[in-house]
Every structure is written in structure tokens, then in C-alpha cells.
Amino acid sequence: MKDKFRIKNILELPLVSSQTTDIRKKVTCVIIGHEEISSYFSSPVYLDALLIGLVLSGTGDVCVNYKSYCVSADSLFILSSSHLFYFNSCSTDFRCRCLLVSKEFMEEMDSTDMICQRIKYGVRMYNMPVLSLDKEDAVLLSERIYTVDQSLDKEGHFYYKEMVLNRLFAFYLDLSDIIERKGLSSEKGNVNRYEGIIHSFIELLATHYREEHSVGFYASALNLSPHYLTRIVKRITGQSVCDFIFDMLYSEALTLLTHSELSVQEIAGRLHFSDQSAFGKFFKRNAGMSPADYRKRNVRMHQ
């Protein structure tokens, strides 16, 4: 009988907390083996990060959302913060190249384009988080993770964070391409039908998220009730419709505060908040600080 599950911050993992830089504590590339699996991932856990693992050797039995999967060389598993997982067992020669990206880093750095890519493969993979890759695809993704790791060493680069972000974006694009080419779906039966709704919702969201913040708008455009759309999105992705809308708005707000000269009031207007106060409250709930304080912090960091 497994222990009661827990939510774990990635900094609780020695393989992350031992990293040498602040960025490496938020996005990390590591090789894990039998010892690390036994120490950190043998009991049920929700990890507050995206964990992508490419198995290099050996075999393992991983349980994700109460379903067991056998993994071996060239298996890929994609685990979000809404996946409960643990390893029942793994062979002594088990080795896995892992990419861990904290929720904090994704919130700070995501472009809206990257969010769309992550949503695209996340919808496909939420209920089927493990897949077997062709050798060529496995080598490609392994190389992509390695280039992320290399970019993390270049702290002196003037555009350090942007470079890391671009390496991650290249990985997400190749992963999405593999999923599309394989025609993967989350489950058979109902989920396949639901995927069409999810994809249509994402397309609408990418076009209208700045001006349309209500579930009702997207449901109406898809000829669905708000309750039905919410239920489908939550079932397949583990996130609510509002989560998706607010993620896009928050990402755009971060981008505009960091890379534009628009005033906070102008940003609030561009994102169609009722007023600057409503935007400030929304931003502070997500960032833990006001838009003005966030902008000041980023100016200091780049001086």
C-alpha cells in the first residue's frame, strides 16, 4: 500500500536544490536512475512542475493518475502538476534524461505562442502521458533537452532568459510535431470526440483571449453550454476553462510589462479589464506583487 500522496515543490528534490544558479533551480535537466527513483519518486506525489522524462535504458513501472505504464528505452513520459504519479519499480540499470520546468518559471517566461504549443500537446497527453518513440524521434528530443541544458550554462549571455526560453520552445515544437505525426489521442472513444472541442476552444482562445474573459463566450461560440464545456476541458486537461483564459492573460501581461513601454493603465485597456484596479488585483493574485512593482523589479534585474 502506497503512502498518502503529497504535493511537492521541486526545490524539495536534492537533484534540483543542489543546482548552482537560480534559473537552474527553476528549469533543470538531469539524468535520474534507480537510486533517485527510489529516493524521490516511490511514493505518490503531485509535483509543482512540468516533468518530461526520456528513458535511456532499463525498464520501469510508473503509475500515473492510478493507471500503470511500463516504460523502457525510448519511452517518453510527460507529467504536469495535475498528474499524481509514482514508480512502483524500476530496474537497476534504469536511466532517464529529465527536463523539469517549475510552474514559477513557466509563469515568468511563457510567451502566448509557447502556451498554445504546451496546451496542444498537453490536451493529447493528459490522459495518455506515456508514449513509445521511434529511435530517430527519441534522439531528436534527447538532443533538444541537451541544448536546453547547455543554454543554462551561459549565464553571461545578455539575453540569457530569452535564450533558455527559445531552447524550450524548440523542444515544445518538436514534441508537438511528433504527437501530431503519430496522430496520438488521449484515450479511445469519448475522448477522441472531445478532443475536437478542445482544439476548437484553443483556437478561439488564441484569437480572443485579450477581449473575451468569460466561459460563456467560448461555450456559445462552440454551441455548448458553459457547464458542458467546463466539464470536458477539466476532464481531459485537468485544468478549468478559466485557468486557460487567465494563463493567457497573465502571460500577455508579463510580456507587455517586460517588453513594452505601455503604461499599466494602457495594458489594462489592451487586455480589456474593466479598469486598472481590476487588472492590478488580477496580476497581484498571480504574481504576488503589483504590475508596477513587477516592472520595477525587472528593470533592476536588467541593469
Side-chain angles (χ1 to χ4, degrees), residues 133-146:
L133 299 177
D134 299 333
K135 190 65 180 179
E136 183 179 356
D137 289 335
V139 169
L140 173 62
L141 291 185
S142 181
E143 290 175 349
R144 288 298 192 198
I145 296 175
Y146 181 65

Side-chain angles (χ1 to χ4, degrees), residues 30-257:
V30 292
I31 302 291
I32 64 173
H34 179 270
E35 183 177 342
E36 289 79 13
I37 293 293
S38 299
S39 298
Y40 314 130
F41 301 123
S42 60
S43 296
V45 61
Y46 286 105
L47 198 61
D48 68 338
L50 173 71
L51 169 59
I52 298 177
L54 177 63
V55 180
L56 304 175
S57 64
T59 59
D61 177 16
V62 60
C63 184
V64 183
N65 288 351
Y66 305 103
K67 183 176 180 180
S68 291
Y69 300 86
C70 294
V71 294
S72 56
D74 300 335
S75 293
L76 185 79
F77 52 89
I78 304 174
L79 305 174
S80 71
S81 58
S82 56
H83 282 113
L84 176 70
F85 76 96
Y86 60 89
F87 275 78
N88 284 310
S89 63
C90 69
S91 61
T92 55
D93 62 341
F94 183 85
R95 291 177 70 249
C96 180
R97 187 185 299 277
C98 290
L99 170 65
L100 294 101
V101 186
S102 71
K103 290 174 68 177
E104 179 185 359
F105 187 84
M106 289 188 284
E107 289 170 354
E108 287 181 359
M109 298 301 299
D110 268 349
S111 67
T112 51
D113 286 342
M114 187 182 288
I115 287 178
C116 287
Q117 289 302 324
R118 287 198 294 106
I119 290 172
K120 198 169 187 178
Y121 75 68
V123 167
R124 293 290 183 95
M125 300 301 296
Y126 178 73
N127 283 296
M128 194 183 69
V130 177
L131 68 150
S132 296
L133 299 177
D134 299 333
K135 190 65 180 179
E136 183 179 356
D137 289 335
V139 169
L140 173 62
L141 291 185
S142 181
E143 290 175 349
R144 288 298 192 198
I145 296 175
Y146 181 65
T147 61
V148 173
D149 194 28
Q150 285 184 311
S151 71
L152 290 167
D153 289 331
K154 299 180 180 179
E155 289 185 272
H157 197 290
F158 189 77
Y159 298 101
Y160 178 58
K161 286 188 177 180
E162 289 80 0
M163 178 178 59
V164 174
L165 178 66
N166 284 328
R167 298 296 189 274
L168 285 170
F169 195 21
F171 173 84
Y172 293 144
L173 286 172
D174 281 327
L175 178 57
S176 293
D177 173 65
I178 290 168
I179 292 170
E180 292 292 339
R181 283 191 284 106
K182 285 180 172 291
L184 296 171
S185 58
S186 302
E187 290 178 344
K188 295 181 179 179
N190 288 338
V191 173
N192 284 336
R193 295 197 297 272
Y194 293 162
E195 274 193 352
I197 295 173
I198 300 295
H199 291 163
S200 295
F201 163 63
I202 291 168
E203 289 178 0
L204 282 168
L205 182 66
T207 303
H208 297 290
Y209 71 91
R210 293 178 183 87
E211 68 271 13
E212 298 292 349
H213 305 172
S214 72
V215 177
F217 168 81
Y218 298 98
S220 177
L222 295 170
N223 295 314
L224 301 171
S225 71
H227 174 75
Y228 188 65
L229 177 61
T230 298
R231 184 161 62 87
I232 291 172
V233 172
K234 184 70 173 180
R235 172 180 174 180
I236 296 178
T237 70
Q239 293 182 271
S240 70
V241 174
C242 288
D243 287 337
F244 282 112
I245 297 169
F246 294 158
D247 279 352
M248 296 292 277
L249 285 170
Y250 181 54
S251 170
E252 184 78 351
L254 292 175
T255 299
L256 292 173
L257 286 167

Side-chain angles (χ1 to χ4, degrees), residues 252-268 270 295 299:
E252 184 78 351
L254 292 175
T255 299
L256 292 173
L257 286 167
T258 304
H259 300 294
S260 82
E261 296 183 358
L262 295 173
S263 68
V264 173
Q265 183 175 359
E266 288 171 328
I267 293 172
R270 178 168 293 194
R295 175 170 270 173
V299 169

